[in-house]
């Protein structure tokens, strides 16, 4: 089955919460960086994509939705590949996003000396997808924020409004369910992936 939902928002915009929400609504499994970190084949496939040879059918085989990086670096191509899929731009303020990103993902990308040897291919992929493709090689605050804002602007400008939902995790179930044509669940919207959870997930993933 082809993808039904494509995430255009960068990591640290509530993508883990969105992943769990989509799975709860029946759009699972949902592809996320957590699906890549301990999967060498996924890592190879995404490195091929950064080299200009993506195989999205193979990457997303068995998945109904995809959010977070790596898909967030390729959402335009993926949206063209699966024209019936809806697009969700997970979002938050640029300043709060940069604060979270700089204290988590950016640090592990830049600190190459601490990359464990057994997980180096995944870290190399992370570097190419995020720093190279999404951020255009920028590591300074202003450049990173500019890349974040440009990504959001591109999604808003290129995806028709009836195909796009701009969504913040704080919005809760209602707009997401309305967009996807699903009833609102009785339980609370998922809240997850604090900074401590992020580092724990990376540590466990690279050790797997």
């Amino acid at each position: 089955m082809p993808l039904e939902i494509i995430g255009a928002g960068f990591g640290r915009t509530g993508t883990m919460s969105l992943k769990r929400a989509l799975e709860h609504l029946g759009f699972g499994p949902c592809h996320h960086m957590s699906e890549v970190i301990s999967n060498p084949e996924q890592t190879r496939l995404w490195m091929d994509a950064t080299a200009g040879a993506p195989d999205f059918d193979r990457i997303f085989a068995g998945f109904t939705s995809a959010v977070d990086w790596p898909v967030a670096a390729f959402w335009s191509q993926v949206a063209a590949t699966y024209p019936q899929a809806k697009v969700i731009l997970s979002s938050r303020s640029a300043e709060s996003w940069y604060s979270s990103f700089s204290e988590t993902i950016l640090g592990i990308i830049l600190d190459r000396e601490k990359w464990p040897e057994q997980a180096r291919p995944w870290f190399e992929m992370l570097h190419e997808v995020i720093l190279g493709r999404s951020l255009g090689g920028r590591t300074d605050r202003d450049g990173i924020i500019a890349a974040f804002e440009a990504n959001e602007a591109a999604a808003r400008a290129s995806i028709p409004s009836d195909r796009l939902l701009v969504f913040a995790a704080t919005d809760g179930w209602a707009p997401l369910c309305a967009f996807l044509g699903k009833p609102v669940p009785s339980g609370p919207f998922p809240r997850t992936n604090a900074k401590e959870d992020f580092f724990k997930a990376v540590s466990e993933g690279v050790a797997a």
Side-chain angles (χ1 to χ4, degrees):
M1 177 182 293
L3 283 182
E4 297 182 45
I5 299 169
I6 299 162
F10 286 176
R12 308 307 298 174
T13 57
T15 52
M16 179 58 81
S17 295
L18 180 57
K19 166 186 167 69
R20 294 188 178 178
L22 291 173
E23 290 176 339
H24 185 83
L25 294 174
F27 295 97
C30 178
H31 191 284
H32 181 276
M33 185 63 83
S34 59
E35 312 291 339
V36 181
I37 187 169
S38 59
N39 187 324
E41 182 182 16
Q42 279 279 334
T43 296
R44 287 193 296 271
L45 288 169
W46 282 110
M47 282 299 282
D48 289 345
T50 65
D55 187 344
F56 295 130
D57 285 344
R58 190 173 173 189
I59 286 172
F60 298 120
F63 292 95
T64 305
S65 56
V67 301
D68 196 61
W69 279 303
V71 72
F74 293 86
W75 62 262
S76 181
Q77 286 177 263
V78 179
T81 302
Y82 305 105
Q84 302 306 310
K86 293 187 174 184
V87 178
I88 299 176
L89 174 63
S90 52
S91 181
R92 64 191 293 185
S93 76
E95 292 290 341
S96 68
W97 171 78
Y98 176 78
S99 176
S100 178
F101 174 74
S102 64
E103 293 174 8
T104 53
I105 299 171
L106 183 62
I108 67 172
I109 291 175
L110 296 180
D111 198 359
R112 299 177 74 101
E113 293 184 359
K114 292 185 179 179
W115 292 358
E117 193 60 35
Q118 76 276 11
R120 183 162 289 272
W122 178 76
F123 281 94
E124 293 285 0
M125 182 276 298
L126 201 70
H127 186 279
E128 293 299 315
V129 165
I130 299 176
L131 183 60
R133 189 174 178 90
S134 285
L135 303 182
R138 297 294 294 271
T139 59
D140 61 294
R141 177 185 175 281
D142 289 348
I144 290 172
I145 288 178
F148 174 83
E149 292 177 336
N151 182 73
E152 294 213 338
R156 292 172 187 265
S158 63
I159 304 296
S161 59
D162 61 347
R163 191 186 179 193
L164 176 69
L165 174 67
V166 179
F167 179 77
T170 53
D171 294 338
W173 286 116
L176 182 64
C177 292
F179 180 66
L180 299 175
K182 295 288 186 178
V184 175
S186 58
F189 190 83
R191 301 282 188 229
T192 186
N193 206 17
K195 292 170 188 174
E196 296 78 10
D197 297 328
F198 168 82
F199 287 113
K200 180 181 179 183
V202 170
S203 177
E204 291 176 350
V206 300

